[in-house]
Each structure stands twice: as C-alpha cells, then as structure tokens.
Amino acid sequence: MRIQPTFNPVLYGYLAAFISSFSYGIAAVVTKKVVTDIAAPMITTAYALLFGTMIMAAIFNRTAYQEVKNAPKNSLIYMSLAGIAGLWGAIFYHLALLDSQVILVTPVSSTYPLIAIIMTSIFLRRLEKVHIRTVIGAIIVVVGVALISLGQTR
C-alpha cells in the first residue's frame, strides 16, 4: 500500500527517512538492553518481527490481502526473498548487539546502503541509475564507519 502525500513527495520521503532513522536509533538502544538483560537474540528477533507484523496487519489488513491476492505470482517470490533477507538482517543485528556496543554495531549495520547500491547497479539498471555522487557518498560512509570502528578499539 502506498500512502499518497498531500505535499511535496520529496519532502515526504525525507521526513519518512528521518522518522525511520529516529525509530531505528531508539530500537537499537532498546534491543541492546533486551538482548543483554532480558531475552536471547533469537527470541527478541522473533517477538519484534511478530509484534511488527501484528501492527502492520492491524493498520493495513483490508488492503494488504487484496494486494497480495492480485499480485503477480513472481512478485510473491520477490516479497518472500525480501522477507528472508530482512529476517537474516534482524537476526544478525540482534546477535551483534549482544556481543558488541550499540555505538559500534549501529554504524556498521547502517552500511547496508552500500550493498543496496551494488545490487541496484547489477539488478535494477533499468529502474534506477547509480550516479558518481552516490558512489562518492558511499565511499565517505565507509570511511566514516572505519573511523568509528577504529575509535572504539582504543
């Protein structure tokens, strides 16, 4: 389901990205507390995904069923692959928070756009173009993560 903004879609995209960033920042700190003091990473992952699914079902239950029912069969394969990849990402993120500091895990795990840029340039060439500015920005991200990681080892 796509929510149609009533104002500038670019600003809507940035707002959504900042809300996402804020939510992930809070989730990182809460997850570190949970996997350290309360529950194992696998239990935490399962509960977090189940709870998120229940909220999504409550919000989008009427339209989601019809969209999945009417979706082309090959799109269900792609949705499943995205879900599996997201699951593995969540599992290893929670495992990383168990053994490492939040201030180290979050920047390293936040390099996933680098993987997305590479995969986009390979598989989504017809849909999106990877510009040189994007590649330069990705290199800056890698350098930033390296500096954070090096700073934590001292």
Side-chain angles (χ1 to χ4, degrees):
M1 173 182 184
R2 179 177 281 266
I3 299 172
Q4 296 298 323
T6 57
F7 55 94
N8 184 328
V10 173
L11 291 178
Y12 178 79
Y14 280 115
L15 177 63
F18 284 120
I19 292 171
S20 170
S21 177
F22 184 75
S23 297
Y24 279 125
I26 291 170
V29 173
V30 172
T31 299
K32 174 65 176 180
K33 175 70 174 162
V34 171
V35 299
T36 302
D37 296 339
I38 301 170
M42 295 302 173
I43 300 300
T44 305
T45 302
Y47 183 79
L49 293 174
L50 175 64
F51 191 73
T53 300
M54 290 178 356
I55 290 175
M56 290 293 291
I59 294 171
F60 299 113
N61 67 348
R62 294 181 183 177
T63 58
Y65 175 75
Q66 284 301 323
E67 287 188 31
V68 171
K69 182 179 169 187
N70 296 331
K73 298 301 178 211
N74 67 341
S75 67
L76 298 177
I77 294 169
Y78 290 121
M79 285 188 265
S80 298
L81 289 173
I84 291 167
L87 171 66
W88 282 109
I91 288 170
F92 283 101
Y93 179 75
H94 289 150
L95 287 170
L97 284 173
L98 176 66
D99 296 324
S100 299
Q101 297 176 341
V102 171
I103 57 175
L104 178 61
V105 171
T106 53
V108 172
S109 68
S110 295
T111 60
Y112 73 88
L114 301 174
I115 304 300
I117 290 167
I118 293 167
M119 300 296 281
T120 297
S121 67
I122 296 169
F123 296 108
L124 299 178
R125 267 187 213 154
R126 285 184 255 146
L127 295 176
E128 298 183 25
K129 181 166 176 54
V130 177
H131 298 282
I132 188 67
R133 289 182 299 197
T134 305
V135 174
I136 291 169
I139 291 168
I140 291 170
V141 167
V142 171
V143 170
V145 169
L147 289 173
I148 290 171
S149 298
L150 291 172
Q152 293 305 310
T153 58
R154 296 182 190 268

